[in-house]
Amino acid sequence: MNIGHQSFKKILFGFAFSPKLKINLLETIRIAHFFNAKLILLHVGEKTKENENKINALIQDIEPNGLSIDIQWKEGKPIKTIRKICDEFKIDLLVLGALQHENMYRFYVGSIARKLTRQVSCSVLLLIRPSEVRVPCNHLVVNGLNAPDTPNTIANAFYVANTLGAKQITIVEEILNKEIHVDVEDHRSLKRASIIKERLKNREESRVRKIVGALPKIHTQSINIKNQSIFGKRGYSIGHYAEVVRADLLVMNAPSKSTIFDRIFPHDIEYILSDLPTDLLIIRNEP
């Protein structure tokens, strides 16, 4: 099994002059230090002397300790411009600040972040919990979905966990209820459904163990690894689980490129984007 992880060596932070700019910038600079990455700041809008002075003052105040930072000012439509810069600078990770529950967040995710997760060629990190004082990232939850991209997404979760110093990863296998193929009507059918559920759990856990077993031992030996099978609606179930266990980071496969089918039937990740349970890292495995 050929599994590999990305290296986040070029990080792009798309920023606006909002009240949370400083704390989002502080968190992004901290992340760039962890990954030893070059940081590019992008503002889609007019470059004025006032705005230039504001961002430079913030950077100086945060004291990036020698971090390589490049500021880009571009005018145009946000999605198209961010996508273009990601391609032009060969960005590995796009960082965006996001609100968690408010109505404005729903608009922001619907019009910007959701489209970017489908259209950009890199991974995306949505921050909902930036902090002035670093909050340790101790527990990652990652999808164990039976899909072609999942092995590399799991590999990336271990890469991120080791880089950030996390101690636990929970791999969640979401199993659709329709796979049980049993209508529970009496004691006998309930017992049969329970047996099928157990078989499905064993099947999924065996598949995930093979993925983890193929990873370099140096990436897995210091991490407490847990498998968790959940029966329910994909996307919704893992988001709810991440919230219940108070995960510090949720790691998911990137959605496929948008099609007319996706507009009619929501993708798994739409449920998470509509109500973020925690910071969300979306791994884009495509070249």
Side-chain angles (χ1 to χ4, degrees):
M1 187 180 294
N2 186 17
I3 304 175
H5 69 76
Q6 304 169 6
S7 293
F8 298 147
K9 293 304 179 186
K10 286 187 180 180
I11 296 176
L12 177 67
F13 174 54
F15 71 93
F17 288 94
S18 69
K20 295 188 72 173
L21 172 57
K22 182 175 182 179
I23 196 167
N24 277 320
L25 181 59
L26 176 61
E27 193 72 72
T28 304
I29 286 175
R30 189 181 290 139
I31 291 167
H33 272 296
F34 270 106
F35 289 101
N36 193 26
K38 177 177 180 178
L39 178 59
I40 298 168
L41 307 181
L42 171 65
H43 178 68
V44 181
E46 183 182 4
K47 179 182 180 181
T48 65
K49 193 64 179 177
E50 180 183 3
N51 285 344
E52 192 175 15
N53 289 339
K54 280 182 183 178
I55 193 67
N56 286 331
L58 284 175
I59 293 172
Q60 186 175 5
D61 185 50
I62 293 171
E63 296 181 345
N65 298 318
L67 183 69
S68 175
I69 298 179
D70 179 17
I71 306 174
Q72 294 288 319
W73 305 81
K74 301 290 181 182
E75 294 192 35
K77 295 182 178 180
I79 295 172
K80 184 177 180 180
T81 302
I82 293 173
R83 187 180 66 213
K84 182 179 178 182
I85 293 297
C86 285
D87 290 339
E88 182 180 332
F89 286 82
K90 295 181 171 57
I91 297 300
D92 301 308
L93 179 65
L94 170 64
V95 179
L96 298 170
L99 300 176
Q100 185 172 12
H101 298 298
E102 289 102 327
N103 291 334
M104 188 61 189
Y105 163 74
R106 294 181 182 276
F107 169 78
Y108 179 83
V109 168
S111 63
I112 303 291
R114 180 181 288 127
K115 292 180 181 178
L116 283 171
T117 60
R118 292 187 185 280
Q119 296 183 23
V120 294
S121 56
C122 61
S123 298
V124 179
L125 175 62
L126 297 178
L127 295 176
I128 66 167
R129 295 175 178 172
S131 174
E132 186 170 346
V133 178
R134 182 180 183 249
V135 176
C137 181
N138 294 317
H139 184 192
L140 276 68
V141 170
V142 56
N143 70 242
L145 184 69
N146 189 4
D149 288 341
T150 296
N152 287 332
T153 297
I154 291 176
N156 273 281
F158 278 91
Y159 160 63
V160 171
N162 279 282
T163 302
L164 299 181
K167 300 302 181 185
Q168 179 173 340
I169 288 181
T170 301
I171 304 171
V172 174
E173 306 100 23
E174 293 177 288
I175 306 171
L176 297 176
N177 282 319
K178 65 181 182 181
E179 291 192 56
I180 301 173
H181 302 301
V182 175
D183 292 325
V184 178
E185 298 174 341
D186 52 27
H187 179 73
R188 181 178 295 178
S189 58
L190 176 61
K191 184 176 180 180
R192 186 181 170 201
S194 298
I195 292 171
I196 293 173
K197 275 189 172 185
E198 193 62 30
R199 287 175 179 170
L200 288 171
K201 285 175 61 177
N202 290 338
R203 180 197 71 187
E204 293 301 294
E205 289 179 5
S206 175
R207 176 180 56 80
V208 168
R209 280 196 297 269
K210 288 180 181 178
I211 294 173
V212 175
L215 299 176
K217 294 297 182 186
I218 193 171
H219 291 171
T220 60
Q221 62 188 6
S222 62
I223 305 288
N224 179 27
I225 305 167
K226 178 182 177 182
N227 282 25
Q228 180 67 53
S229 295
I230 298 177
F231 290 83
K233 186 176 293 184
R234 284 178 178 166
Y236 175 81
S237 299
I238 191 172
H240 180 68
Y241 178 82
E243 185 170 25
V244 168
V245 300
R246 298 183 179 180
D248 300 297
L249 182 65
L250 174 59
V251 185
M252 297 284 294
N253 293 350
S256 57
K257 303 298 183 181
S258 183
T259 65
I260 187 66
F261 181 83
D262 294 313
R263 296 170 197 166
I264 300 171
F265 300 100
H267 192 278
D268 302 344
I269 207 167
E270 307 293 332
Y271 298 108
I272 295 170
L273 289 173
S274 67
D275 192 10
L276 283 175
T278 187
D279 291 346
L280 175 65
L281 174 60
I282 303 169
I283 298 295
R284 171 69 66 186
N285 289 296
E286 297 174 6

